[in-house]
Amino acid sequence: MGFQLEGPVLEGELVRLEPLDHRHTADLAVAAEENRGTYAFTWVPRAGEVRDYVDAQLARAATGRLAPYAQVSRASGRAVGATSYWEPRCWRSEDQLDAVEVGFTWLGASAQGTGVNAEAKLLLFRHAFEGWGVSRVDLKTDARNDRSRAAIESVGARFEGVLRNWSRSWAPGEDGRLRDSAIFAITAEEWPERRERLEERVAGFVARRG
């Protein structure tokens, strides 16, 4: 059957990543309706769409190719966004994960800039490299999304190029169109240095919170 993605609970000081469940629906509906000005190129469900969104993510999870999470603020105990592991790739053995993507990520406006994203990425990367033993973790975004590209680079991922007409566009009003995707990655060789930098960055957010 091969490797099946199944993400465990990942706990940090600012955020706890919990496998996505319907119990997160009410919180995510609130988070999704905060200031939506940063979602120009990212599809984030409206409050009334969150239940169907969770259903769709759980259906993808059932295939073994997606492990969706709710991002739960440690300060409030509320789900403030979502993220996922997906696209597992096993090149050398059906049971050994060689690469995985981190994607389907969004945060409510009030959680942006608080360190939640940085620590969530630290937790996800650390489990992928040190738990699963992957050789690379990749991330991608709409090539036009400068804000997302900057956020990805800020957690240590290296820009590798733009793939043209790579996937469907999630931008409002672009249903049925394709987008160019900017591709970023961290490799196993780079991980120790990236981990140190991310840990220092998260520690700064934790200190400011205290």
Side-chain angles (χ1 to χ4, degrees):
M1 187 175 192
F3 188 91
Q4 300 287 296
L5 274 182
E6 186 174 346
V9 173
L10 300 173
E11 187 111 15
E13 295 193 58
L14 302 174
V15 65
R16 182 173 62 253
L17 300 182
E18 300 178 355
L20 185 66
D21 186 81
H22 284 294
R23 71 179 182 278
H24 300 116
T25 299
D27 287 351
L28 291 178
V30 172
E33 288 300 331
E34 294 176 356
N35 184 346
R36 295 178 62 90
T38 62
Y39 301 151
F41 298 102
T42 303
W43 184 80
V44 175
R46 305 299 308 226
E49 299 171 323
V50 170
R51 182 166 293 278
D52 288 343
Y53 165 81
V54 173
D55 282 339
Q57 292 296 75
L58 294 180
R60 293 185 180 104
T63 70
R65 299 193 59 78
L66 181 88
Y69 283 101
Q71 302 193 65
V72 177
S73 165
R74 291 289 305 276
S76 68
R78 298 178 64 87
V80 294
T83 191
S84 296
Y85 287 120
W86 74 307
E87 291 295 332
R89 277 148 288 156
C90 302
W91 294 312
R92 292 173 290 186
S93 164
E94 288 187 358
D95 299 314
Q96 171 60 48
L97 186 63
D98 288 303
V100 70
E101 183 168 335
V102 170
F104 286 101
T105 300
W106 62 272
L107 281 173
S110 64
Q112 296 174 22
T114 65
V116 166
N117 178 62
E119 188 172 49
K121 294 300 192 296
L122 173 61
L123 296 171
L124 290 164
F125 295 163
R126 186 168 62 197
H127 181 70
F129 285 114
E130 300 174 20
W132 286 327
V134 301
S135 295
R136 67 178 273 140
V137 172
D138 42 64
L139 307 93
K140 65 177 183 284
T141 189
D142 192 306
R144 300 167 294 179
N145 193 340
D146 292 336
R147 183 186 181 96
S148 179
R149 290 176 66 157
I152 292 171
E153 289 185 323
S154 76
V155 297
R158 179 178 175 181
F159 175 61
E160 295 187 329
V162 172
L163 299 178
R164 296 172 296 167
N165 291 343
W166 181 250
S167 65
R168 63 171 291 185
S169 173
W170 296 99
E174 293 190 356
D175 290 350
R177 292 178 58 183
L178 298 176
R179 76 175 197 192
D180 296 346
S181 291
I183 308 299
F184 299 78
I186 298 174
T187 66
E189 293 77 13
E190 296 167 335
W191 171 238
E193 187 270 340
R194 300 298 198 274
R195 173 176 174 164
E196 183 176 351
R197 285 172 48 191
L198 260 181
E199 288 175 338
E200 290 175 354
R201 186 162 178 242
V202 170
F205 281 110
V206 171
R208 288 195 289 276
R209 182 195 63 175

